[in-house]
Amino acid sequence: ERPKIYKLGAGDLKKKKQKTKKRVKEIAYNLIELYAKRRIQKGFAFDPDSYLQLELESSFIYEDTPDQISSTADVKRDMESERPMDRLVCGDVGFGKTEVAIRAAFKAVDSGKQVAILVPTTILAFQHFKTFTERLEEMPVNVDYLNRFRSTKQRNSVLEGLKNGRLDIVIGTHQLVNKALEFKDLGLLIIDEEQKFG
């Protein structure tokens, strides 16, 4: 619909501005309250890097970029802290965000936790499944995926694997937020919020 146009200094504009300011303050207050609660909560501190973690990272066929090195170190530091992690990693396509996610996911699995990777599309779920499977094929890790193209039998197998702990990493679309989904011990959630340019 067409936007409403107000005259400068009109009473309607003043009311709209006041209402907007009030709502922005409420949102800001709620965010501050949420982060204050998170700050005092105690989370799970993941183990320091094992020899398997170092082996995985050294098997990367490309040389790490300075940003990848920095991002990986920051993520690991967050994971080893008792404070719940809340980190954003962003960069253009091809800058190595997936490799940082693979290393973080393996660190969680290496500490006995499960990992969920939430992606926006069915195609990306399958692409990540292939990438994670290839990168982790030499490691003691079970990876699977959920999307609308999986059969009922395949879907049930994934759900059972998550519930009993047989499955370490699951990659999926919005099906990962289904109430029927149960994890034995979820330790890390990675959200790939892919935009048009990475």
Side-chain angles (χ1 to χ4, degrees):
E1 62 187 63
R2 292 183 67 171
K4 189 169 181 180
I5 299 174
Y6 299 97
K7 288 185 180 180
L8 287 176
D12 286 347
L13 179 60
K14 286 179 184 174
K15 285 180 190 173
K16 190 75 164 173
K17 281 171 61 177
Q18 288 299 95
K19 192 175 178 182
T20 303
K21 281 182 184 179
K22 183 181 177 198
R23 185 69 185 121
V24 167
K25 283 180 184 177
E26 286 173 11
I27 292 169
Y29 176 78
N30 290 341
L31 279 173
I32 291 168
E33 187 177 41
L34 173 70
Y35 276 87
K37 285 178 185 174
R38 283 181 60 89
R39 188 89 169 158
I40 60 173
Q41 280 185 333
K42 192 173 182 180
F44 178 82
F46 292 90
D47 298 331
D49 288 355
S50 68
Y51 75 94
L52 285 173
Q53 181 81 32
L54 300 174
E55 197 173 301
L56 171 71
E57 292 177 17
S58 66
S59 71
F60 189 47
I61 60 172
Y62 304 104
E63 187 176 328
D64 288 357
T65 65
D67 288 338
Q68 267 182 315
I69 293 167
S70 169
S71 295
T72 302
D74 289 344
V75 167
K76 286 181 183 180
R77 187 175 51 252
D78 285 353
M79 290 177 76
E80 292 172 11
S81 165
E82 287 187 341
R83 184 171 294 143
M85 184 168 78
D86 188 7
R87 177 162 295 277
L88 174 67
V89 176
C90 62
D92 279 335
V93 172
F95 272 56
K97 299 178 299 295
T98 302
E99 179 64 20
V100 173
I102 289 169
R103 294 173 185 188
F106 183 75
K107 185 172 186 68
V109 171
D110 201 26
S111 292
K113 297 289 187 177
Q114 291 174 301
V115 179
I117 302 166
L118 182 64
V119 297
T121 65
T122 55
I123 293 170
L124 190 58
F126 185 69
Q127 285 175 339
H128 275 339
F129 169 71
K130 282 181 60 178
T131 303
F132 273 70
T133 303
E134 288 168 8
R135 281 291 286 129
L136 298 170
E137 72 180 339
E138 300 293 322
M139 299 296 158
V141 177
N142 293 315
V143 182
D144 212 332
Y145 73 103
L146 279 174
N147 70 20
R148 67 179 179 200
F149 297 127
R150 303 299 309 261
S151 69
T152 302
K153 184 179 178 183
Q154 291 170 322
R155 190 175 299 119
N156 289 339
S157 172
V158 170
L159 296 177
E160 185 61 32
L162 290 172
K163 189 174 183 176
N164 67 25
R166 180 187 53 79
L167 188 56
D168 300 305
I169 299 173
V170 64
I171 302 161
T173 56
H174 63 281
Q175 292 184 24
L176 287 184
V177 295
N178 188 327
K179 289 181 181 170
L181 194 90
E182 285 183 57
F183 290 90
K184 183 176 181 187
D185 194 5
L186 181 64
L188 181 65
L189 169 64
I190 298 171
I191 302 173
D192 187 344
E193 192 179 49
E194 185 186 52
Q195 302 298 322
K196 288 186 179 183
F197 302 104

